[in-house]
Amino acid sequence: MEMLNNVMNQLPMIEWPVLVIAAPLLMVALAWHGKGFWAWVSAAALLLGACWAAGCSNPLVWQAVAGGVAVLAVVLGVPAVRRVLISSWAMKLAAKTLPVIGDTERIALEAGTVWWDGELFSGKPNWNKLFNFRIKPLNATEEAFLNGPTAELCDMLDDHEIAQLRDLPPKVWKFIKDKKFLGMIIPREHGGLGFSANAHAAVVTKIASRSLTAAITVMVPNSLGPGELLIRYGTEEQKKRYLKKLATGEELPCFGLTEPHAGSDAANGTSVGVVGKGKWQGKTITGIYLTFNKRYITLAPVATVVGLAFRLYDPEHLLGEKSEIGITLALLPRDTKGLVIGQRHDPMGVPFQNGPLRGEKVFVPLDYIIGGEAYAGQGWRMLMEALSAGRGISLPSLSVGGAQLALRASSAYAVVRQQFGMPIGKFEGVRERLARIAGLAYTMSAARSLTCGAVDAGEHPSVVSAIAKAYLTEGMRTAVNDGMDIMAGGAICRGPANILSRPYSAIPIGITVEGANILTRSLIIFGQGAIRCHPYLQAEVAAIGAGDVKAFDTALFGHINHLCRNMARALVLGVLGSWLVPVARKVKNRKQVRKLARLSAMFAVVADVGLITLGGSLKRREHLSGRYADAFAWLYLASAVLKQAHDDKNPKEHKAVIDYAISHAFYMAESAIDGVLANLPNQLLAGAVRWVVLPFGLRHRPLRDAQMERLVDSVLDENTGVRRALTAEIHLPDSKEPSLGMLEAAYAAVLAAQGAQKKIAQAMKIGLLKKPAPAADAALMLNTLALRQGIVSATEKKLLDEAWKLTNTVVQVAAFSVGEHRGLK
């Protein structure tokens, strides 16, 4: 110690401010590179330096400081000592703060896989993983089906007719079955189409742009239901019995999960099965007595085979020692004695088949259990694993179709419809809504593509699927609402030519089913995401559950180092700028990628602070968990936008929409993080964290008017191809079709006549033409007058007349006699 003291006395004195700056920067630099041990060493150096700078030259002080550093090094650096003095105590404390996790919740948390969501949660995403990831394109067979049978089906669909029939027409049902639309996910060896997730999504998106009733009818058998469950878990006998018939529509499936007292809380349903002896086909066998009351079951009224979830009991121990076996899944033919089926619900007037299922002590054999007796009690795990992928395909794809339809229709209407002497697309209020629809359409399509790409790559990304379901259905709600506002009276009056009223009515259905969005946002995305995606939290929880101090010690100090590194990363990126983030040269939009990296680090720090300080109580603080979910979701959506732009080679025509979409995503993510910090209970700690992650305040602002204007200009300029690109996945009907088809014809005619229209406007401006008196055919009279005065040619007059006639047709709305109106549905 004397030697150390002599050395210290001989060193030149360093001013206190220099030390205060230098030592933390050393710690930050070392932590940045992930050297957790050296971060602790630099912290000790900071302590020594602080004493020195304070003028502590007393040998006793130095001995005490050195001894303290030595003790700290042993306590923190020797795992055996650390476990006894720190980790065992910390584990007991953590066990008290964590909520009790039951089996059903544990199964839900463990379902699926962690993918890009884990990278975002880490605070230091591996960008090569995202940009080198190849989204599987549609193969030739899938392309042919999309452009052939799917387009043909879309041409057959008349949503107004379907609404009046309260069902799909018989010819449509037959076509859907014959072309195997109900067997897209069933492998070819079992008689299905064996399509990829991307192909499945593309088909649903196209159909949804024509009829949500048809889209839901096709979607449900290919989502969570008997087909998916049989493929994954069915016995060979069950697969042979059902899969081919399900693919061809000979068997129509439904799945009964939701109950009057168990909606989002599906694991606590009251449907039960009791193992017992009973008569079956003249013999006494061991079977199950089922009592159930299900509702909201899509396709139930017409289903020929019914999937059922129930809690199985074995009071007589006919199957084994356990009395309560757990949630079990079974398949019942429609003609099963005691099964009550056929009634219909009326969800928002959208006439897809949906209704209740009931049964009282319905006796069925054990081989009705999906997967056989070996899968008794495994039903919740089976459902969660199936839902982990399916939830990211069906409703997100339907939502993309709705958003693209809203953009296609409202952008055409903005050009065709005139008020106050000019197209409504020139009014800034309308343009603001158009920009929002376009930005959402791009973001939603990118997110659906990335999510389906993950599924096709063998992932089952449960958290990502929940994000896609919740935020894309919300995106459809916003896009269709905005479209309704733009099309105004033409949108609210239903009839054969109406485009958006039926999708508008259906919006709450997508919001509600497959996990209501309120629940998904406030409980699932961050609640499940924090456990699954955090690099250490799940290991900590598992160690506490097992009472394993050694495993907890490893996870805890890994967690501490993880937090320190992310704090250093967030602070450095916040102070010095995101340019420090390494991104490969081949990656497009590198500047935006670096900004997203900083947001990821910010989120990781703020997430850890909430998890550490609030523990299990965070689960009940849904305001906070909802904001965490918003931040996490918008980080994922921003990733999807950047991935889409990169894969498309960042075309200059798309610059405005990419800029709009990524700016909005960044603003939403940062605003959510800011909202978390503003509402953490410990505001003193929140203030300190804010200084780390937002040293100069918020960086991302709301969208600027100029960004909106550039985007709308690109959409309404047909030469850019942006409108076509953003709506490429929907079906465009024949020009004679009274809704979108005729609107598209009017739009094309108005564009064709724009040159001639400008000539007339210029002539009126300089006094060569006078505006005729108000009359129904005033525009046609003006065109004739312009021709007589040589302002336009005969060909141009023909274009002008055609544009006016088509415009006059599409701005009309349906009118019905009193008798007809009474019969409308």
Side-chain angles (χ1 to χ4, degrees):
M1 290 303 301
E2 184 177 353
M3 182 181 297
L4 174 63
N5 191 42
N6 290 334
V7 171
M8 297 300 293
N9 286 331
Q10 292 174 16
L11 288 173
M13 294 299 293
I14 300 177
E15 294 295 329
W16 171 256
V18 175
L19 190 68
V20 168
I21 294 171
L25 284 179
L26 172 63
M27 184 164 61
V28 164
L30 293 169
W32 173 276
H33 290 288
K35 305 298 184 183
F37 171 76
W38 290 110
W40 289 112
V41 171
S42 61
L46 175 61
L47 177 61
L48 287 168
C51 292
W52 179 31
C56 295
S57 58
N58 190 320
L60 291 177
V61 174
W62 279 110
Q63 289 173 12
V65 171
V69 172
V71 170
L72 186 65
V74 170
V75 171
L76 296 177
V78 181
V81 177
R82 190 175 65 203
R83 290 174 205 144
V84 174
L85 296 180
I86 297 178
S87 299
S88 58
W89 169 81
M91 190 169 80
K92 292 175 183 177
L93 182 64
K96 293 178 181 179
T97 62
L98 288 175
V100 177
I101 298 178
D103 287 343
T104 54
E105 189 173 8
R106 176 183 54 78
I107 290 169
L109 288 172
E110 293 174 354
T113 59
V114 177
W115 182 61
W116 181 247
D117 43 342
E119 294 291 330
L120 291 172
F121 217 108
S122 74
K124 190 180 180 181
N126 177 1
W127 297 110
N128 288 331
K129 182 174 181 177
L130 178 68
F131 293 113
N132 290 341
F133 173 67
R134 182 176 179 271
I135 297 174
K136 183 180 178 181
L138 272 59
N139 61 37
T141 301
E142 293 166 341
E143 285 279 8
F145 187 87
L146 187 64
N147 297 324
T150 305
E152 189 176 349
L153 172 62
C154 288
D155 283 330
M156 297 170 67
L157 297 172
D158 180 335
D159 219 20
H160 181 70
E161 177 193 21
I162 292 167
Q164 306 317 304
L165 291 174
R166 307 297 292 148
D167 194 4
L168 297 174
K171 65 178 182 179
V172 172
W173 270 112
K174 185 177 187 305
F175 188 84
I176 287 173
K177 293 176 181 180
D178 289 348
K179 299 299 181 181
K180 298 186 179 181
F181 279 91
L182 305 181
M184 286 190 288
I185 66 167
I186 294 175
R188 297 176 69 86
E189 60 265 28
H190 291 292
L193 296 175
F195 279 178
S196 64
N198 249 330
H200 170 192
V203 170
V204 171
T205 295
K206 188 178 283 285
I207 298 173
S209 70
R210 288 294 288 157
S211 167
L212 291 186
T213 298
I216 294 169
T217 300
V218 168
M219 179 183 85
V220 168
N222 290 290
S223 183
L224 177 62
E228 173 81 3
L229 293 166
L230 284 170
I231 293 166
R232 286 171 172 261
Y233 311 107
T235 65
E236 287 305 312
E237 183 180 348
Q238 289 171 340
K239 291 177 181 179
K240 289 178 182 178
R241 178 179 178 182
Y242 284 115
L243 286 179
K244 186 175 181 180
K245 292 181 179 180
L246 288 171
T248 61
E250 186 179 345
E251 296 276 15
L252 283 176
C254 71
F255 191 85
L257 180 61
T258 306
E259 302 178 3
H261 298 287
S264 296
D265 187 16
N268 287 314
T270 58
S271 296
V272 298
V274 179
V275 179
K277 298 289 186 179
K279 289 287 186 181
W280 184 258
Q281 297 178 350
K283 297 180 180 179
T284 299
I285 64 167
T286 299
I288 307 170
Y289 289 91
L290 295 167
T291 298
F292 52 92
N293 181 19
K294 304 288 186 179
R295 66 175 180 181
Y296 307 149
I297 312 305
T298 298
L299 295 184
V302 294
T304 62
V305 57
V306 175
L308 202 66
F310 56 92
R311 195 170 293 276
L312 183 63
Y313 295 90
D314 185 13
E316 299 179 30
H317 301 287
L318 298 175
L319 301 183
E321 296 180 359
K322 294 174 66 176
S323 297
E324 183 177 345
I325 295 175
I327 295 175
T328 302
L329 312 180
L331 286 180
L332 283 64
R334 185 186 182 94
D335 59 4
T336 300
K337 185 178 180 181
L339 173 60
V340 180
I341 188 172
Q343 290 183 308
R344 292 185 68 175
H345 298 311
D346 186 16
M348 298 300 297
V350 182
F352 64 95
Q353 295 286 338
N354 185 276
L357 300 167
R358 294 190 301 278
E360 183 77 23
K361 294 184 178 179
V362 177
F363 186 72
V364 298
L366 290 172
D367 61 12
Y368 276 19
I369 296 174
I370 298 177
E373 188 179 331
Y375 278 87
Q378 301 296 311
W380 189 244
R381 177 178 62 82
M382 295 158 68
L383 288 172
M384 291 300 99
E385 289 176 352
L387 194 62
S388 66
R391 184 158 50 185
I393 302 172
S394 298
L395 285 170
S397 303
L398 181 148
S399 300
V400 169
Q404 291 192 11
L405 175 65
L407 177 59
R408 190 83 187 193
S410 60
S411 58
Y413 197 79
V415 170
V416 167
R417 177 68 164 164
Q418 291 201 7
Q419 290 289 277
F420 305 103
M422 63 180 182
I424 63 171
K426 293 187 178 295
F427 290 94
E428 289 185 354
V430 171
R431 291 169 73 84
E432 181 178 350
R433 300 301 180 92
L434 274 175
R436 184 158 62 186
I437 301 172
L440 281 171
Y442 187 88
T443 301
M444 292 165 64
S445 179
R448 189 214 63 188
S449 177
L450 183 59
T451 305
C452 291
V455 174
D456 283 333
E459 299 288 344
H460 293 89
S462 54
V463 177
V464 162
S465 292
I467 290 172
K469 185 273 169 183
Y471 288 80
L472 268 61
T473 53
E474 291 291 348
M476 177 183 171
R477 169 151 52 188
T478 301
V480 174
N481 271 339
D482 285 347
M484 292 286 290
D485 286 352
I486 292 169
M487 299 183 74
I492 64 173
C493 292
R494 296 194 301 192
N498 189 287
I499 299 170
L500 295 180
S501 68
R502 303 291 177 184
Y504 177 82
S505 297
I507 288 169
I509 299 170
I511 299 291
T512 302
V513 301
E514 290 191 12
N517 283 5
I518 290 176
L519 168 83
T520 302
R521 173 181 177 266
S522 60
L523 292 178
I524 294 177
I525 291 172
F526 186 71
Q528 186 173 358
I531 298 290
R532 291 307 313 276
C533 302
H534 193 286
Y536 296 100
L537 189 57
Q538 188 170 17
E540 289 170 325
V541 172
I544 291 171
D548 188 338
V549 177
K550 183 177 180 181
F552 181 78
D553 173 80
T554 301
L556 174 64
F557 280 85
H559 192 159
I560 292 171
N561 283 331
H562 169 76
L563 175 58
C564 290
R565 288 195 299 270
N566 277 328
M567 290 180 68
R569 183 177 176 80
L571 180 59
V572 170
L573 294 179
V575 173
L576 300 181
S578 302
W579 59 271
L580 289 168
V581 177
V583 181
R585 282 189 172 276
K586 67 179 181 179
V587 173
K588 308 297 181 183
N589 298 294
R590 290 195 299 278
K591 182 178 179 181
Q592 305 301 340
V593 172
R594 292 185 175 111
K595 289 181 179 180
L596 182 55
R598 175 174 176 256
L599 286 168
S600 173
M602 290 168 56
F603 173 77
V605 171
V606 175
D608 264 332
V609 169
L611 292 166
I612 292 169
T613 59
L614 297 175
S617 68
L618 183 57
K619 180 180 179 180
R620 298 183 295 275
R621 296 177 182 267
E622 296 179 28
H623 292 308
L624 282 174
S625 63
R627 292 186 183 98
Y628 275 121
D630 289 341
F632 195 26
W634 282 104
L635 291 180
Y636 178 72
L637 295 175
S639 300
V641 169
L642 290 170
K643 170 65 172 171
Q644 185 71 54
H646 174 80
D647 288 354
D648 290 344
K649 309 300 183 186
N650 208 33
K652 63 179 182 179
E653 295 84 3
H654 293 181
K655 182 178 179 181
V657 70
I658 294 168
D659 175 54
Y660 182 104
I662 199 64
S663 296
H664 179 63
F666 285 173
Y667 170 71
M668 295 297 289
E670 188 180 60
S671 296
I673 292 170
D674 179 54
V676 170
L677 291 173
N679 289 279
L680 284 173
N682 188 334
Q683 277 299 291
L684 184 62
L685 177 61
V689 174
R690 182 182 292 277
W691 185 87
V692 172
V693 301
L694 292 166
F696 301 126
L698 299 176
R699 296 284 185 87
H700 300 284
R701 307 298 178 189
L703 289 157
R704 292 176 287 108
D705 295 347
Q707 289 176 292
M708 300 181 198
E709 289 297 310
R710 285 195 295 268
L711 174 52
V712 176
D713 284 343
S714 71
V715 170
L716 297 185
D717 182 354
E718 196 66 14
N719 293 323
T720 66
V722 171
R723 179 172 178 266
R724 291 191 299 274
L726 294 181
T727 59
E729 296 170 279
I730 67 172
H731 180 74
L732 296 179
D734 183 85
S735 61
K736 295 180 181 179
E737 190 264 358
S739 58
L740 182 60
M742 192 163 289
L743 177 58
E744 280 289 303
Y747 171 75
V750 169
L751 292 182
Q754 275 184 342
Q757 191 65 54
K758 287 179 181 178
K759 291 181 180 180
I760 290 178
Q762 183 63 26
M764 292 178 67
K765 186 175 181 180
I766 61 178
L768 292 179
L769 278 176
K770 291 185 178 181
K771 187 176 182 179
D777 59 349
L780 294 176
M781 293 168 59
L782 184 62
N783 296 342
T784 300
L785 186 59
L787 175 64
R788 288 174 181 170
Q789 295 189 19
I791 296 169
V792 298
S793 67
T795 300
E796 288 174 322
K797 178 184 180 297
K798 186 176 180 181
L799 291 174
L800 288 164
D801 289 349
E802 179 68 10
W804 185 87
K805 290 174 183 177
L806 286 171
T807 297
N808 185 54
T809 299
V810 299
V811 299
Q812 306 299 324
V813 297
F816 306 93
S817 69
V818 173
E820 288 172 331
H821 188 266
R822 284 174 180 163
L824 287 177
K825 302 177 182 67

